[in-house]
Amino acid sequence: MTIRPKLLQRPDLRQRERERGWIFREIGVEPFIQCAGVRTLYGASNRSDEVIAAMNAAVEAFVDMDELAEAAGRRLAELRGAEWGVITAGTAATLALATAACIAGNNPELMLRLPETSGLPNKVLMPSDQRFSYEQAIRIAGDEIVSVATVERLAEALDGSAAMICLLGRLDSASVLPLRAAVPLARENGGPILVEAAGLSLEKPDRWVKCGADLVVYAGGKFFRAPQSTASRAW
């Protein structure tokens, strides 16, 4: 849906711009006072002035998208104190891409096979007390999510069939399987660890990477105050 061109040419536009939320009311949607934090359902956060200025500057020129992705990844890594970074079309997209990467690696033929994963490590291990509502984004790569309730069960599940361990950052401190317990087992058995930290604030160096996570997912539309359809992955 686009805003009617005539609307943007109306003489009262300047006055309407001072009425916060006018553009939503124009299509029958009433804005509200948001006191629930950075919730996706409510639009996450407002764009910062720096983000708006950067977006306006970006639309003034064309660049090679591969070069842009490379440069953005390098810059994101610098900001996060991580080895590298990737910007994606939102947290769900990041979860799907990260899972696919853990299954197929750098093999183009395996990438083209997905979501057909027979004969490949295709299980994603998750603590039973850290399951969350965006798991479909993980399963879309063709994997099976397996709940593990104890450290012993995690050790047994790391039998070569697991592509990844996925942890939910906001529940880590109270979990039966926190990151500190998973890292030694993952290092011993070669399983990468992804931490979904979408709604959490950021630190430098990244606390999750510092504690042993291989991949960390943040929502760009939350504490970054970037567009809602962005996310970042650092490793």
Side-chain angles (χ1 to χ4, degrees):
M1 177 182 293
T2 58
I3 301 300
R4 299 190 302 274
K6 289 183 179 180
L7 167 65
L8 302 180
Q9 298 170 6
R10 280 163 36 176
D12 63 341
L13 175 59
R14 186 171 300 175
Q15 174 63 31
R16 297 295 299 276
E17 286 179 331
R18 289 197 290 267
E19 300 172 5
R20 180 173 297 182
W22 69 268
I23 202 163
F24 294 113
R25 294 188 182 96
E26 190 68 25
I27 58 173
V29 177
E30 183 63 28
F32 54 80
I33 298 174
Q34 215 280 77
C35 301
V38 287
R39 295 254 184 117
T40 299
L41 183 61
Y42 301 148
S45 64
N46 298 117
R47 307 296 80 79
S48 67
D49 291 341
E50 292 85 354
V51 166
I52 293 173
M55 292 172 66
N56 288 336
V59 300
E60 296 175 352
F62 298 93
V63 295
D64 182 284
M65 297 307 292
D66 287 336
E67 291 183 9
L68 178 60
E70 184 80 8
R74 183 168 55 250
R75 179 59 176 151
L76 187 59
E78 293 172 357
L79 293 173
R80 303 299 320 119
E83 183 177 343
W84 201 250
V86 172
I87 297 173
T88 72
T91 303
T94 308
L95 290 172
L97 291 171
T99 307
C102 289
I103 294 173
N106 290 324
N107 189 321
E109 294 183 3
L110 295 183
M111 295 176 192
L112 293 174
R113 276 184 53 188
L114 299 180
E116 206 292 296
T117 60
S118 59
L120 302 175
N122 60 2
K123 293 181 180 178
V124 173
L125 310 180
M126 296 183 63
S128 56
D129 58 358
Q130 294 189 37
R131 303 295 296 267
F132 59 101
S133 56
Y134 286 91
E135 293 176 7
Q136 177 61 23
I138 295 174
R139 290 196 298 269
I140 202 170
D143 55 279
E144 174 191 358
I145 295 178
V146 177
S147 287
V148 290
T150 65
V151 174
E152 292 75 19
R153 179 68 187 99
L154 177 60
E156 293 172 0
L158 288 168
D159 57 4
S161 64
M164 182 178 80
I165 300 170
C166 180
L167 305 177
L168 189 58
R170 64 182 174 82
L171 298 180
D172 184 74
S173 61
S175 176
V176 296
L177 277 173
L179 178 61
R180 66 176 183 274
V183 167
L185 294 174
R187 294 293 172 269
E188 182 179 347
N189 296 278
I193 298 176
L194 178 147
V195 174
E196 199 270 36
L200 302 182
S201 58
L202 297 87
E203 301 174 1
K204 182 181 179 181
D206 188 275
R207 55 176 161 168
W208 306 107
V209 173
K210 184 179 178 180
C211 291
D214 300 286
L215 302 157
V216 187
V217 177
Y218 291 100
K222 293 185 169 65
F223 286 97
F224 273 118
R225 297 187 67 187
Q228 175 71 331
S229 59
T230 59
S232 71
R233 184 178 82 208
W235 68 88

